[in-house]
Amino acid sequence: MSGIFKQASGSHATTLAPAPAEPVKVRLKINGQEHVLNIAPWVTLLDALREYIGFTGTKKGCDHGQCGACTVLVDGIRINSCLTLAVMREGQEITTIEGLAHSEDLHPLQKAFIEHDAFQCGYCTPGQICSAVGMFNEGKANTLDDIKEQMSGNICRCGAYNNINAAILQVKGEMAGE
Amino acid sequence: MNSFSYLRAVNVADAVEDINTKNKAKFIAGGTNILDLMKVNVERPEHLTDLTRLPLTEIQNTEDGGLRLGALATNAVTAWNEQVQQRYPLLAKAILAGASAQLRNMATNGGNLFQRTRCYYFYDTATPCNKREPGSGCSAINGYNRIHAVLGTSEHCIATHPSDMCVALAALDAKVNVTGTKGDWVVDFADFHRLPGDQPELDNNLQPGDLVTSIDLPAKTFSKVQYLKLRDRQSYAFAIVSVAAAIELEGGTIKEIQMALGGVAHKPWRDKSAEAMMIGKTPTKENFRLLAETVLATAKGYSYNSFKIELAKRAIVRAFTEALQAV
Ligand SMILES: Cc1cc2nc3c(=O)[nH]c(=O)nc-3n(C[C@H](O)[C@H](O)[C@H](O)COP(=O)(O)OP(=O)(O)OC[C@H]3O[C@@H](n4cnc5c(N)ncnc54)[C@H](O)[C@@H]3O)c2cc1C
Ligand code: SF4
Ligand code: FES
Ligand code: FES
């Protein structure tokens, strides 16, 4: 068994690291406002939002594309902000959970989530809501089964799925004028 | 992540020059695989060439009646494209069976081809792995290998290729258009990926720095298709076994049949001689079982994955049974 735990050579090898890359100037348009950052190229969009700008509504769950907590909208399209670099998103419109409400007027999905008690701890909620907005923009979800499948990229550790689906279905109905 | 420099390429020539002049440079497209691997120190590029602004996002008809998928078109745009939905439903189904909506919105067609194995030891830099660290050994062969390959393995690596999209592309006889310092060339999908042999560090037959510009689907289309993906949960999980099945009947017998398997080998698994054997036969469960037995005849299980062999056989029969029900 010992072989399995052998240190793979190279993974922590003492080869000379390349000189630290220069910070780059990155202009990001977030929730309608421009932010200019001086950041290293390896800063993810998620870290730029949370650590450099202070938009902490977007959550870090896994940091590996496996949970959906970091979901934001880029030009209206939902993506995982943990698997993209901030520098790659220059010139695009980024919308986070903070950008969905108009002052005191909550987004219909935010209202529906409260109405249906669609959360327990709330950690997955910003990602769930941004993802649902993205799903509506895509316009491919017609049935409850479609919604379940197309929302599968958002894991809820508290298991609030039934209420999340109910909230989404209600807003979908409202949008269809039912 | 280690330190790296970054360039946003604006045209193909730019990108090819950048990647070939920088030390330890890698392309980045959707970022969903390379950034994941950089965060765990499996990939350690010193420079990234960003492809996302290249004008390679179109999906358009080819002169020979096929369809060309731009390498930088996202998986989502491709799967929902009207032409793909109507003429290549197998590809649409396979793409939509993969990852999540958010990831498909980021992942590109080019990047999907290059995604690396999900072997847990490959991801864990504290364990030996010939693919990550040539010559260090394979931890999976005598370790926990439930998700590993049963066909085409070698004593050096038993990893699988994790893509769903590539399984459909293999079944459909796609071609890959490549450009590089040597000019432009075309690779048959069957020759794109490779088996591990004694060089498991190589996933495919391209050279570092070669750029995939597009993928061509042939004029020949199938309407009786199924992509059957078996996995540990119903969505947002990699395939344990998958089958891309395409069939055409004439007068009650099989006129054409094309099939590829996912989750069982280092590349999408195609067996053209087994397919040829099926021509003229009646489309019965017994005959599909015969196909399955033939394709899996050389399969070899390891401690934890032998179940995949029977699972793959049953999946083949079910996939074709379901394909025949398609209207
Ligand atoms: C949680 C999770 C679940 C997933 N589940 C599935 C699943 O069920 N099924 C499935 O099929 N996939 C799945 N994926 C994988 C996903 O499909 C791939 O990560 C994606 O397709 C890679 O594309 P990309 O554009 O993001 O590539 P990147 O990460 O940008 O690049 C990947 C590699 O390709 C190279 N590259 C990119 N474009 C080109 C090009 N045009 N020419 C040459 N080289 C290029 C890059 O240099 C890099 O080495 C999952 C991923 C995650 C994170
Ligand atoms: S199966 Fe391949 S990728 Fe996995 S540990 Fe062995 S050599 Fe590495
Ligand atoms: S934090 Fe991005 S998907 Fe989990
Ligand atoms: S409400 Fe707790 S994770 Fe979803």
Side-chain angles (χ1 to χ4, degrees), chain A residues 39-121:
Chain A
I39 51 175
W42 54 84
V43 175
T44 61
L45 177 58
L46 175 59
D47 286 344
L49 290 170
R50 291 182 55 86
E51 311 294 333
Y52 292 83
I53 307 174
F55 281 130
T56 53
T58 309
K59 300 296 184 241
K60 183 183 280 191
C62 63
D63 213 18
H64 287 280
Q66 298 173 359
C67 76
C70 66
T71 304
V72 299
L73 300 156
V74 173
D75 292 338
I77 294 169
R78 53 178 165 162
I79 67 161
N80 302 108
S81 61
C82 68
L83 287 187
T84 192
L85 300 172
V87 64
M88 296 170 72
R89 297 300 172 179
E90 267 191 320
Q92 297 175 316
E93 296 267 355
I94 297 153
T95 308
T96 68
I97 189 74
E98 290 92 344
L100 290 181
H102 296 292
S103 64
E104 291 302 293
D105 198 10
L106 295 182
H107 185 278
L109 272 163
Q110 291 173 311
K111 286 186 199 151
F113 265 62
I114 294 170
E115 213 171 294
H116 288 272
D117 203 10
F119 40 72
Q120 288 181 40
C121 75

Side-chain angles (χ1 to χ4, degrees), chain A residues 3-4 6 9 19-21 41-42 63-67 71 78 80 82-83 87-88 90 131 138 149 152-154, chain B residues 1 3-4 6 8 29-30 32 35-36 39 50 53 80 100-103 105-106 125-128 133 235-236:
Chain A
I4 290 186
K6 196 188 85 187
S9 61
W42 54 84
D63 213 18
H64 287 280
Q66 298 173 359
C67 76
T71 304
R78 53 178 165 162
N80 302 108
C82 68
L83 287 187
V87 64
M88 296 170 72
E90 267 191 320
S131 186
E138 289 157 14
E149 168 58 31
S152 73
N154 293 83
Chain B
M1 272 192 251
S3 169
F4 60 86
Y6 168 90
R8 187 183 299 139
T32 61
L35 290 176
D36 190 21
K39 288 181 185 192
D50 181 358
R53 310 291 164 107
W80 293 114
S100 67
Q102 290 95 316
L103 288 161
N105 281 339
M106 309 169 78
T125 55
T127 59
E133 198 65 46
S235 186
Y236 202 12

Side-chain angles (χ1 to χ4, degrees), chain A residues 118-125 128 155-160 164:
Chain A
F119 40 72
Q120 288 181 40
C121 75
Y123 199 80
C124 71
T125 312
Q128 299 277 3
I155 308 284
C156 175
R157 188 65 184 81
C158 301
I164 293 170

